[in-house]
Amino acid sequence: MSHLDPKQYLMDGLEGAKKRFVQDLEALSDEQLNEASGQGGRKPIDFVYETGWVNRWMADQIKGQEPQKWPWNDGWPTAPEDFNTKQNAIEEITNSIDEIKSALEEKSEDDILTRFTENDRETSIFERAAIAMMHITYHDGQLNYIQAMSGDMEVNWK
């Protein structure tokens, strides 16, 4: 039985999540990204912005830096007005996932797998990066749902 390389697993998983997220962003129009569905619904551009912010937050943690505090005390994040284009969303997702990958690149397998306690919770760099992948995929699922609700039943992953 071969040994699973945890760093390579995370790097491949993050790269795949980035590719699929970007392909799903490309399938939506700027209008779709800036339209909330339902009363009180979030705009897709807002959860894309949140995903980028969380990715950078995770990258800081992986680097061993003090992460920023959640700046939206009154609810979910909203994208700034100058962020509201598909091109900005693609750049944000691409760059923020690349930041996680860059932070991981500096770590050894032991660094990635070592368990430690923080805020009364046991975790590892591997777990943090896996949570980031799950968060990216979660919001990509929302993009897929918006596509389907708009009549786009194609699988946009190439």
Side-chain angles (χ1 to χ4, degrees), residues 75-116:
W76 293 106
T78 55
E81 286 297 317
D82 63 350
F83 184 81
N84 66 356
T85 68
K86 177 173 29 178
Q87 187 57 43
N88 287 340
I90 290 170
E91 288 174 14
E92 177 64 10
I93 289 302
T94 299
N95 293 338
S96 66
I97 293 173
D98 287 347
E99 281 190 37
I100 297 172
K101 290 175 61 182
S102 177
L104 286 169
E105 196 60 47
E106 302 299 317
K107 302 297 179 182
S108 70
E109 182 176 332
D110 285 343
D111 292 337
I112 289 171
L113 296 176
T114 298
R115 306 287 297 166
F116 57 90

Side-chain angles (χ1 to χ4, degrees), residues 116-123:
F116 57 90
T117 302
E118 185 174 84
N119 299 326
D120 298 323
R121 185 178 167 280
E122 191 173 297
T123 191

